[in-house]
Amino acid sequence: MVNYWAIAIGINQYHLFQPLSCAQADAEAVQDFLVTETGFLPENSLLMTTTSPPIGERASYPTKANILFLLEELAATSWQPEDQLWFFFSGYGVNHNDKDYLMPVEGNAEQVRDTGIEMRSLMQSLQVTGLNVLLILDINRAFGTQADAPVGQEIIELAQELQLATILSCQPEEFSHESSELGHGFFTAALLQALRSGKGSSLTDLNDYLSSFTPELCQHHWRPIQNPAHFIPSKQQVILPTLTLDSDSEAEQIIFPEENFAVTRAAPPLEDEDSRTSTTDKAWWAENKTVETTLNKTSSEVEKPANSPDGTFSKPLVETNQILATSPELNTAGRFIPSSAKDFTSPSIQVNTPIWKQFILWGGGSMIIVGLIATFLLRNQASFRFKQLSTAVSNPTVSQTIAPTKSVNAPIASTLDPRKREQALFELGKMSLSETQPADLSQAIATARKIQPGELLYQQSQDNIQVWSQMILDLAAERAQKRQYAEAIAISKLITTSEPLYPQAQAAMEKWRLEAKQYVSNKTVLDAANALIRPGQASSYNRAIEVAKRVLPGEPGFNIAEQSINQWSEQILDLAKNRAAQGDFSTAIETAALVPEVTAAYEDAQDALQKWQAKKN
């Protein structure tokens, strides 16, 4: 009997690389789908992230040693020839001396050979097991470092040599990108869509879908094109045990969150009042609007990459930075915005009743209703007055705007007994576990739960569990304070229902979800404001400031908006000073007048404006 296995590795918080945003969510989503939708056994679907629970007695923290040990242990004790293995990795990849490496959490760009996982060794060890292997690698390049070299060419060559099915997120010369709007890397988002729509039943179908949909998804979000690289061996593989959807069912469309609605595009000139008040711009900047955007196929037929009989991989379906054909809806303002639904009214039913009878019926009925309402109000007058008075006392003023979501970034208050905390830390040290690693704390809790009631150390173990649980929540709060909401929520999930702190963890997670959504929305607004900037054009800075002011005090991202606004106001003033230095006082005055009142440069701009006005006169 063929067994199906999955190993999903996703790393956001690297020790020595810039943190990623979606790698952990990528791995969690892939592992969750394989278990819940396709029939993979939970015990055969293993997750390795910085916050994942232990795998049996072993830590799941994605270090090089833990990853390699897991593979060796499975090969020695569990895997059988012809079993199917999905090996998914989302994180950094590095090419060093023409060799490709996957970087574990402690990976160091200056010590790649010692800290990286060499792909040749990894793929050879998988090949000798006799498994049917599918490698899916969403690899990010370490942009701007000495490890920023094209990654993937050796992996594809090794896949051909070893006849291992392999799909990479992009061509070696391209970059993989993440999307805060989708919550995943573009490649993994396409992969999940393929699986949900029933396109993962065979390697060929999966590869064809990824090759066409990944660049389309990038284009839809105005990002550089990614063309997945792949090698499909001639040997046929059944990569999934079951399918959730029938093969004939239509592909489910991806519904993008409402934050996509604020798109990056150039603003109309200030003097163009018609364009500024167009229906599109009103919708773009309107507050409290909910608009769903839907990605449609850009063509009725998608050219499939041809695989040669010997298993060579095809060229990119779409050239890098090539603009894909898009539908008229997508061409409009960069996103598909559904047109408003038409109003349909049912035809009125004509009755041949005489007019005087209709008047009596309607008039008499209306009078009866008014009389009943008046009687009810008179009988309950005192009650209504009391309710109005209590409402007025509790709400002396009513704001016309929705109050911003309060920040919950402050660390969760800890009321632990110092002695119990010291004891818990001592026990962690005895197990060689770290108080700063949520996975280690979760492993310690799992070990302590094995002590049964009535045993000598039971009460001490319960005290330790309480301390470690609080430490997990504190670590989650620290992540939230850094706007790493996905990490914070993932860490909080380590608090199980059996823990007293479970309700507190659930409440914190819900607040962080709301704050994360607000943060994404505000970040999108700030991205749109930045896109309005035209160097040397003062009016563009003024418009960017007006857009950035939509991020309200107390909301996540406000400090970034405030810094940007002050910086742009200074740039407006600098442009005005340059024009005054050239003797063009009229233009300098007009430019300085564009500095808004709420900005740091406003007072200086007003002083300069008065001086230039005097010189002009």
Side-chain angles (χ1 to χ4, degrees):
M1 178 181 176
V2 174
N3 295 311
Y4 288 83
W5 298 83
I7 298 175
I9 304 171
I11 307 171
N12 281 353
Q13 299 299 319
Y14 277 86
H15 297 172
L16 299 173
F17 288 94
Q18 288 293 324
L20 298 173
S21 300
C22 305
Q24 178 169 323
D26 290 346
E28 291 173 342
V30 170
Q31 187 259 0
D32 179 72
F33 182 88
L34 293 177
V35 172
T36 60
E37 302 293 337
T38 68
F40 277 55
L41 296 176
E43 59 269 24
N44 291 356
S45 303
L46 311 177
L47 178 66
M48 302 189 77
T49 72
T50 55
T51 61
S52 55
I55 301 173
E57 298 292 331
R58 302 294 179 182
S60 64
Y61 196 68
T63 63
K64 178 179 179 179
N66 287 344
I67 294 172
L68 295 181
F69 180 82
L70 175 65
L71 294 174
E72 293 171 0
E73 185 176 42
L74 290 173
T77 62
S78 302
W79 289 338
Q80 299 295 327
E82 300 304 319
D83 281 358
Q84 178 68 47
L85 170 66
W86 282 56
F87 184 91
F88 177 86
F89 178 87
S90 182
Y92 280 111
V94 168
N95 181 276
H96 177 70
N97 293 336
D98 296 327
K99 292 183 178 181
D100 289 336
Y101 294 80
L102 299 182
M103 300 309 289
V105 68
E106 80 277 21
N108 187 343
E110 297 180 356
Q111 300 176 1
V112 175
R113 290 186 59 186
D114 295 333
T115 63
I117 298 175
E118 184 183 10
M119 284 305 300
R120 173 172 288 277
S121 175
L122 174 65
M123 295 174 72
Q124 286 177 342
S125 65
L126 291 175
Q127 193 263 347
V128 299
T129 61
L131 297 172
N132 292 314
V133 179
L134 173 57
L135 292 171
I136 302 180
L137 308 176
D138 195 346
I139 295 179
N140 289 264
R141 282 165 57 182
F143 183 75
T145 71
Q146 63 180 2
D148 179 20
V151 182
Q153 185 61 44
E154 189 202 21
I155 294 175
I156 293 297
E157 293 172 355
L158 287 169
Q160 293 175 333
E161 175 186 335
L162 302 173
Q163 291 294 299
L164 294 180
T166 303
I167 305 178
L168 301 182
S169 56
C170 64
Q171 298 291 320
E173 67 276 6
E174 297 174 345
F175 285 89
S176 291
H177 297 278
E178 299 179 303
S179 170
S180 58
E181 297 166 331
L182 297 174
H184 295 289
F186 286 107
F187 171 77
T188 300
L191 172 65
L192 293 170
Q193 175 67 3
L195 295 174
R196 290 167 183 150
S197 58
K199 301 298 183 181
S201 57
S202 70
L203 278 173
T204 302
D205 289 346
L206 179 62
N207 175 66
D208 289 349
Y209 190 90
L210 292 175
S211 296
S212 62
F213 191 62
T214 303
E216 184 177 342
L217 194 60
C218 295
Q219 175 66 22
H220 182 78
H221 286 265
W222 299 90
R223 297 293 183 87
I225 296 297
Q226 286 178 227
N227 292 285
H230 61 271
F231 170 78
I232 306 300
S234 56
K235 178 183 177 181
Q236 296 296 321
Q237 297 183 29
V238 180
I239 59 176
L240 293 176
T242 59
L243 287 177
T244 302
L245 298 178
D246 296 333
S247 59
D248 297 332
S249 62
E250 290 188 5
E252 175 190 355
Q253 292 179 327
I254 288 182
I255 304 299
F256 297 101
E258 61 188 70
E259 287 78 13
N260 268 358
F261 195 49
V263 298
T264 302
R265 57 176 179 175
L270 285 176
E271 62 275 6
D272 187 359
E273 294 295 331
D274 294 337
S275 62
R276 284 197 304 171
T277 58
S278 67
T279 303
T280 303
D281 283 350
K282 283 183 179 178
W284 185 34
W285 295 118
E287 295 182 357
N288 302 323
K289 299 290 184 182
T290 301
V291 177
E292 289 185 343
T293 58
T294 307
L295 178 61
N296 296 321
K297 286 285 186 182
T298 59
S299 60
S300 58
E301 295 183 0
V302 180
E303 180 183 358
K304 296 182 178 180
N307 292 317
S308 60
D310 61 352
T312 57
F313 63 97
S314 65
K315 294 182 179 179
L317 181 67
V318 180
E319 295 298 329
T320 303
N321 297 328
Q322 176 182 346
I323 302 299
L324 294 175
T326 55
S327 64
E329 293 85 355
L330 287 176
N331 286 332
T332 303
R335 296 286 188 274
F336 170 73
I337 301 174
S339 57
S340 59
K342 296 180 180 179
D343 294 329
F344 295 93
T345 58
S346 59
S348 59
I349 301 174
Q350 300 295 333
V351 183
N352 294 327
T353 306
I355 296 178
W356 64 272
K357 287 186 178 181
Q358 294 184 27
F359 176 78
I360 291 176
L361 291 173
W362 285 100
S366 300
M367 291 178 64
I368 291 173
I369 293 173
V370 171
L372 292 173
I373 294 175
T375 302
F376 176 77
L377 292 175
L378 289 173
R379 287 183 178 180
N380 296 276
Q381 185 175 7
S383 175
F384 279 110
R385 286 179 178 176
F386 176 77
K387 290 180 180 179
Q388 292 172 359
L389 178 60
S390 62
T391 302
V393 171
S394 61
N395 300 288
T397 59
V398 179
S399 174
Q400 295 181 351
T401 59
I402 299 176
T405 304
K406 292 183 179 180
S407 173
V408 292
N409 290 339
I412 299 173
S414 177
T415 57
L416 298 175
D417 186 333
R419 290 176 299 177
K420 292 181 179 179
R421 181 180 176 86
E422 290 179 5
Q423 176 62 36
L425 291 176
F426 176 74
E427 293 296 330
L428 277 179
K430 288 170 59 177
M431 293 184 283
S432 300
L433 300 176
S434 172
E435 63 180 291
T436 61
Q437 300 299 333
D440 284 4
L441 294 171
S442 178
Q443 183 177 350
I445 292 173
T447 301
R449 284 202 187 104
K450 296 178 181 179
I451 301 177
Q452 301 298 319
E455 295 186 20
L456 180 62
L457 298 177
Y458 175 75
Q459 185 56 49
Q460 179 180 322
S461 68
Q462 294 302 304
D463 292 342
N464 290 340
I465 289 174
Q466 179 75 12
V467 173
W468 295 330
S469 299
Q470 182 63 59
M471 293 170 71
I472 289 175
L473 275 184
D474 291 342
L475 290 174
E478 290 176 6
R479 296 287 201 280
Q481 191 173 10
K482 298 175 182 178
R483 309 299 184 196
Q484 298 168 0
Y485 297 108
E487 286 279 329
I489 292 171
I491 292 173
S492 298
K493 289 181 179 179
L494 296 176
I495 306 297
T496 63
T497 55
S498 60
E499 303 303 329
L501 292 178
Y502 178 76
Q504 187 177 357
Q506 293 299 306
M509 288 164 58
E510 182 61 27
K511 291 180 180 179
W512 290 331
R513 287 190 185 99
L514 295 175
E515 191 168 339
K517 183 176 181 180
Q518 182 70 65
Y519 179 68
V520 171
S521 179
N522 288 343
K523 186 176 182 297
T524 307
V525 170
L526 293 177
D527 289 343
N530 273 289
L532 300 177
I533 299 296
R534 298 293 179 269
Q537 185 180 344
S539 60
S540 68
Y541 292 103
N542 178 270
R543 279 177 284 173
I545 290 173
E546 292 304 314
V547 173
K549 283 161 62 176
R550 294 185 178 276
V551 181
L552 303 178
E555 291 183 348
F558 173 74
N559 58 332
I560 301 175
E562 188 176 38
Q563 292 172 5
S564 299
I565 287 172
N566 289 331
Q567 179 183 355
W568 295 333
S569 66
E570 294 286 353
Q571 290 172 327
I572 294 175
L573 182 57
D574 289 341
L575 290 173
K577 290 179 179 179
N578 291 337
R579 290 161 185 172
Q582 298 172 2
D584 189 357
F585 294 109
S586 297
T587 305
I589 292 171
E590 293 176 359
T591 303
L594 294 175
V595 178
E597 292 186 27
V598 296
T599 59
Y602 177 73
E603 293 185 2
D604 292 341
Q606 292 299 307
D607 292 341
L609 192 149
Q610 293 176 5
K611 294 178 182 178
W612 296 333
Q613 189 71 43
K615 291 182 179 180
K616 178 183 175 183
N617 296 334

